Amino acid sequence: MMRPFEYVRPAEIEQAVAAVTADPKTSFLAGGTTQLDLMKDGVLDPERLVDITRLPLKGIMHAESSVHVGALTTMEELAADAVLRERLPFVREALLLGASTQLRNMATIGGNLLQRARCRYFRDPTVGACNKRDPGSGCAAITGFQRMHAILGTSDQCIALHASDVAIPFVALDVIVHIQGQDGPRSVPLTRFYREPGSTPHIENVLNHGELITEVEIPLLPEGTRSHYLKVRDRVSYEFALTSAGVALDFEGDTIRDARIGLGGVGTVPWRAWGAEEVLRGAPAGDERFRMAAEAALEGAQTLPGTAFKVDLAKRTLVRTLETVAGAPS
């Protein structure tokens, strides 16, 4: 049962930031597609919500080499953008595969990047052992049901998976997150925005309390770059990824001039496959090279009995995505 809370709706960014910064029991509210569920389940219990939906943080602006997206822009609005559809199709594919139409019309881009872990133990307050919810209490997932958990970036404190779809092509693109705080604005590459659990699973990103994502800046890849997002899941619709891959390749003839790869369904954070990219750059496209890239992408994976299947599945997911991108323009 949801606990009572105070609700305020400021009209200016500075007011919203100040209201949340001043009180550790106050949180921002945007689309609410995750936060309200967690409040109903008793996982989150803010004493006050600061509704930011009236703030001037919505819209898409196109520049010569990038697309600037307000944090309150919905997933559906971004998926409909003509420039992204033409230049970065794997972003659009990830958005469309990430949620139902109803949710895409509610969920914001900023909120999607900040969605909480889909771990069943984190989301069940009757489970005592969850370091993400109660630091120092343990991790029930490590000895529990592990199928939907991570194999990259894990620790002995947490194996919870980051479930965002669009964050996968975003991390491959070096998207920049613009942030407003009490001390002014700052910008952070998405590759450095998230924090792996280590010994502090409850700290999921670099945001300080009261800081607000205002915009994401999506770099445009060179014209002619091919891309694709593949999501492997237990059922066709409205399901989180077992594994996924977002791939963008820039070719010079038959040679891969540049490669950008993000992996989903396997990491505690949206996973950038730096090693796989290095294997592909300057090499001819082909199955042998793709398999080498997949091996590099999963190097260092830490599995438990319930997640061991993900290593092979993630490799096959990446190889198939590479084959799709190399075979024809998306």
Side-chain angles (χ1 to χ4, degrees), residues 31-159:
T33 53
T34 294
Q35 185 172 8
L36 293 179
D37 284 344
L38 293 176
M39 290 173 63
K40 291 174 183 176
D41 291 340
V43 177
L44 300 179
D45 60 344
E47 294 178 357
R48 180 167 60 163
L49 290 181
V50 176
D51 186 338
I52 63 173
T53 55
R54 286 184 178 173
L55 302 184
L57 298 176
K58 193 168 188 176
I60 302 170
M61 184 179 71
H62 302 101
E64 183 176 350
S65 60
S66 59
V67 177
H68 295 251
V69 183
L72 291 178
T73 304
T74 67
M75 295 172 65
E76 187 69 10
E77 288 167 337
L78 186 57
D81 184 75
V83 172
L84 257 67
R85 183 169 61 246
E86 179 182 352
R87 296 286 297 275
L88 300 173
F90 70 154
V91 172
R92 181 173 186 269
E93 292 164 349
L95 287 164
L96 295 178
L97 290 170
S100 65
T101 305
Q102 293 90 336
L103 285 177
R104 293 199 304 269
N105 276 295
M106 287 288 295
T108 64
I109 295 302
N112 186 279
L113 297 181
L114 292 174
Q115 65 178 286
R116 303 301 302 274
R118 294 289 164 178
C119 174
R120 61 164 61 185
Y121 302 105
F122 166 71
R123 289 170 176 260
D124 184 354
T126 65
V127 175
C130 177
N131 289 317
K132 191 176 287 293
R133 181 166 25 83
D134 183 14
S137 62
C139 177
I142 290 177
T143 56
F145 184 78
Q146 303 146 359
R147 178 175 172 79
M148 299 302 294
H149 286 79
I151 58 174
L152 293 169
T154 62
S155 74
D156 61 359
Q157 301 291 304
C158 184
I159 59 171

Side-chain angles (χ1 to χ4, degrees), residues 282-306:
D287 287 345
E288 182 178 357
R289 182 62 58 164
F290 295 162
R291 288 193 292 271
M292 290 172 60
E295 291 293 332
L298 274 296
E299 186 176 350
Q302 298 291 320
T303 66
L304 294 166

